[in-house]
């Protein structure tokens, strides 16, 4: 029996009452509640245009389509990510070019990206975009990605599914250091010169899946400073029907509509947005608690030599969506699979994020990848596991998690 689950959403009467009010109001699909959520989210992440969608996968897909990624184009994608980041490239007939990641934070390695980009160009392939993922909630090498994109005329679509909030200081910033022991205040961080994740991208995409930093159950958002791209994504999110199609059933609407492109069915409902508007208002408080839990893990597990804990990279405010730990298997007489199975028997819910894409059958069979082709993440993958991290975790539960992990590590120490 699981004593502490891997994740549990943080919901209370505010979300419940808003959903009930929406149900009673009779307008369930995309409407004014969703428009409110879009506006509020855009303000929160400092983006001019926000398009609410039914998943981050939909956001990534529409971002690529709006940027005119076509069949045969190459798109640079980190191998250490969830399926969605690369599969949306295939939706358009384009080709994901998988890139190794940095051992320090599992984010896209810009130097490896340039090597693979040059190799693709030498083969005569046209490379059009790069899709960095801010792994676990830690913002990647934004400056390096921007330089690479400018040098090779690439569009940048940031997969910020793990981020809300997350911030960075670029090379020109004079922002003061962030103190993780002080309650999070996004507005203050922005006023002090910190930049919200995604503001340097052409389009940035966020997730509100059940286990994300804020949730709508299922949902996502595509954000951009370009009105033309935002309009295109909005149109394509609802069957390619001309703008504001959702208003045609309201008093100021009209029954007439025109289909201007073969679109998709990606719109977010007002029922989901009713959850989102309150989750967004709690985002800073959620982040404060996530940061506290991450600090507790570091304090209680930092002395365990057989574990490598995540660290915050310089000039970053980490979202702490995931807390990913590495096992030093050379010091232990157990493999990762059996170690996690034992944790499950003890009542601790864990997970693994992720099996690198190049190790999955589809990418091996379609593109000929071997496990050793992206060696850093192939090696790291065999060592990682993810501990629970969500705002509802109590101090006592964190203490129990740490003691359980330490006890199991001690049990499996190799004899000297």
């Amino acid at each position: 029996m699981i004593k502490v689950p891997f994740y549990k959403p943080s919901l209370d009467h505010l979300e419940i009452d808003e959903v009930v009010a929406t149900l009673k109001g009779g307008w369930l699909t995309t409407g004014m509640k969703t428009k409110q959520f879009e506006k509020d989210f855009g303000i929160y992440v400092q983006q001019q245009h926000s398009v609410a969608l039914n998943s981050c996968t939909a956001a990534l897909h529409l971002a690529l389509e709006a940027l005119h990624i076509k069949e045969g184009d190459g798109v640079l994608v980190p191998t250490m990510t969830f399926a969605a980041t690369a599969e949306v490239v295939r939706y358009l007939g384009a080709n994901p070019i998988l890139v190794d990641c940095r051992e320090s934070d599992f984010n896209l390695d810009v130097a490896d990206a340039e090597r693979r980009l040059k190799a693709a160009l030498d083969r005569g392939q046209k490379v059009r975009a790069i899709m960095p993922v801010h792994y676990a909630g830690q913002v990647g090498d934004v400056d390096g990605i921007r330089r690479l994109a400018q040098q090779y005329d690439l569009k940048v679509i940031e997969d910020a599914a793990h981020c809300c909030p997350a911030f960075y200081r670029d090379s020109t910033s004079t922002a003061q250091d962030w103190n993780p022991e002080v309650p999070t205040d996004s507005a203050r961080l922005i006023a002090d010169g910190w930049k919200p994740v995604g503001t340097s991208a052409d389009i940035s995409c966020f997730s509100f899946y059940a286990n994300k930093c804020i949730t709508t159950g299922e949902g996502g958002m595509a954000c951009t400073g370009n009105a033309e791209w935002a309009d295109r994504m909005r149109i394509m999110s609802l069957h390619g029907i001309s703008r504001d199609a959702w208003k045609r059933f309201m008093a100021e609407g009209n029954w007439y509509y025109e289909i201007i492109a073969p679109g998709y069915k990606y719109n977010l409902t007002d029922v989901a947005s009713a959850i989102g508007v309150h989750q967004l208002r709690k985002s800073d408080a959620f982040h404060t608690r996530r940061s506290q839990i991450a600090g507790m893990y570091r304090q209680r597990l930092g002395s365990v030599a057989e574990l490598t804990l995540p660290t915050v990279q310089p000039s970053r405010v980490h979202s702490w969506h995931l807390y990913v730990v590495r096992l030093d298997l050379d010091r232990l007489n157990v493999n990762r699979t059996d170690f996690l199975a034992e944790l499950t028997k003890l009542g601790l819910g864990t997970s693994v994020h992720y099996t690198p894409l190049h190790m999955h059958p589809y990418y091996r069979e379609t593109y000929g990848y071997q496990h050793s082709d992206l060696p850093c993440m192939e090696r790291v993958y065999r060592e990682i596991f993810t501990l629970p991290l969500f705002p509802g975790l109590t101090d006592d539960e964190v203490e129990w998690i740490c003691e359980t992990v330490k006890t199991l590590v001690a049990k499996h120490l190799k004899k000297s």
Side-chain angles (χ1 to χ4, degrees), residues 207-242:
S207 175
F208 311 129
Y209 181 65
N211 68 351
K212 292 303 193 295
C213 295
I214 67 171
T215 185
T216 59
E218 297 274 2
M221 194 80 73
C223 298
T224 182
N226 185 297
E228 180 181 343
W229 295 338
D231 284 346
R232 177 66 179 183
M233 290 188 290
R234 203 175 299 282
I235 288 167
M236 294 301 285
S237 74
L238 198 57
H239 303 295
I241 297 173
S242 51

Side-chain angles (χ1 to χ4, degrees), residues 155-174:
K155 297 297 185 185
V156 179
I157 302 104
E158 290 190 18
D159 184 338
H162 296 181
C163 300
C164 191
F167 300 88
Y168 68 97
R169 296 183 298 194
D170 63 18
S171 56
T172 64
S173 176
T174 59

Side-chain angles (χ1 to χ4, degrees), residues 303-317:
S303 61
V304 182
E306 294 74 27
L307 301 177
T308 301
L309 307 182
T311 58
V312 180
Q313 295 298 307
S315 301
R316 298 292 187 266
V317 176

Side-chain angles (χ1 to χ4, degrees), residues 112-132:
D112 190 61
E114 184 168 21
R115 286 191 293 270
R116 295 177 190 277
L117 186 154
K118 287 180 177 178
L121 295 176
D122 288 344
R123 296 192 301 269
Q125 183 175 12
K126 188 173 185 179
V127 182
R128 295 282 314 285
I130 184 168
M131 296 178 68

Side-chain angles (χ1 to χ4, degrees), residues 91 108 235 263 279 324 384:
Y91 291 175
L108 181 143
I235 288 167
Q279 287 277 295
V324 181
I384 60 172

Side-chain angles (χ1 to χ4, degrees), residues 98-331:
L98 300 183
V99 178
D100 214 347
C101 299
R102 304 185 301 193
E103 190 166 0
S104 59
D105 61 3
F106 306 170
N107 275 315
L108 181 143
D109 184 331
V110 174
D112 190 61
E114 184 168 21
R115 286 191 293 270
R116 295 177 190 277
L117 186 154
K118 287 180 177 178
L121 295 176
D122 288 344
R123 296 192 301 269
Q125 183 175 12
K126 188 173 185 179
V127 182
R128 295 282 314 285
I130 184 168
M131 296 178 68
V133 175
H134 302 297
Y135 179 89
Q138 177 142 255
V139 183
D141 184 2
V142 176
D143 287 346
I145 290 164
R146 185 188 299 119
R147 287 192 297 269
L148 186 71
Q150 291 172 345
Q151 182 177 353
Y152 291 95
D153 192 25
L154 304 175
K155 297 297 185 185
V156 179
I157 302 104
E158 290 190 18
D159 184 338
H162 296 181
C163 300
C164 191
F167 300 88
Y168 68 97
R169 296 183 298 194
D170 63 18
S171 56
T172 64
S173 176
T174 59
Q176 297 297 307
D177 288 345
W178 176 63
N179 182 358
E181 297 182 2
V182 174
T184 304
D185 184 340
S186 292
R188 173 55 60 188
L189 284 166
I190 293 168
D192 286 346
W194 288 86
K195 294 185 177 182
V197 65
T199 49
S200 69
D202 291 294
I203 301 174
S204 54
C205 301
F206 298 82
S207 175
F208 311 129
Y209 181 65
N211 68 351
K212 292 303 193 295
C213 295
I214 67 171
T215 185
T216 59
E218 297 274 2
M221 194 80 73
C223 298
T224 182
N226 185 297
E228 180 181 343
W229 295 338
D231 284 346
R232 177 66 179 183
M233 290 188 290
R234 203 175 299 282
I235 288 167
M236 294 301 285
S237 74
L238 198 57
H239 303 295
I241 297 173
S242 51
R243 185 165 43 179
D244 289 341
W246 62 274
K247 289 184 177 179
R248 68 186 187 276
F249 297 115
M250 301 182 72
E252 68 269 29
N254 189 290
W255 63 268
Y256 182 77
Y257 64 89
E258 293 181 328
I259 296 172
I260 61 175
Y264 311 96
K265 187 67 169 69
Y266 282 165
N267 57 301
L268 189 68
T269 69
D270 268 19
V271 175
S273 295
I275 301 172
V277 292
H278 289 287
Q279 287 277 295
L280 184 61
R281 292 167 190 168
K282 299 174 182 178
S283 184
D284 281 2
F286 286 167
H287 183 258
T288 296
R289 181 56 183 162
R290 286 178 176 274
S291 299
Q292 291 171 347
I293 294 168
M296 293 171 67
Y297 277 145
R298 173 151 293 280
Q299 183 180 19
R300 289 158 175 75
L301 296 176
S303 61
V304 182
E306 294 74 27
L307 301 177
T308 301
L309 307 182
T311 58
V312 180
Q313 295 298 307
S315 301
R316 298 292 187 266
V317 176
H318 200 307
S319 278
W320 292 118
H321 164 52
L322 300 173
Y323 198 87
V324 181
V325 177
R326 292 176 66 180
L327 283 170
D328 187 344
L329 296 176
D330 290 338
R331 293 171 173 257

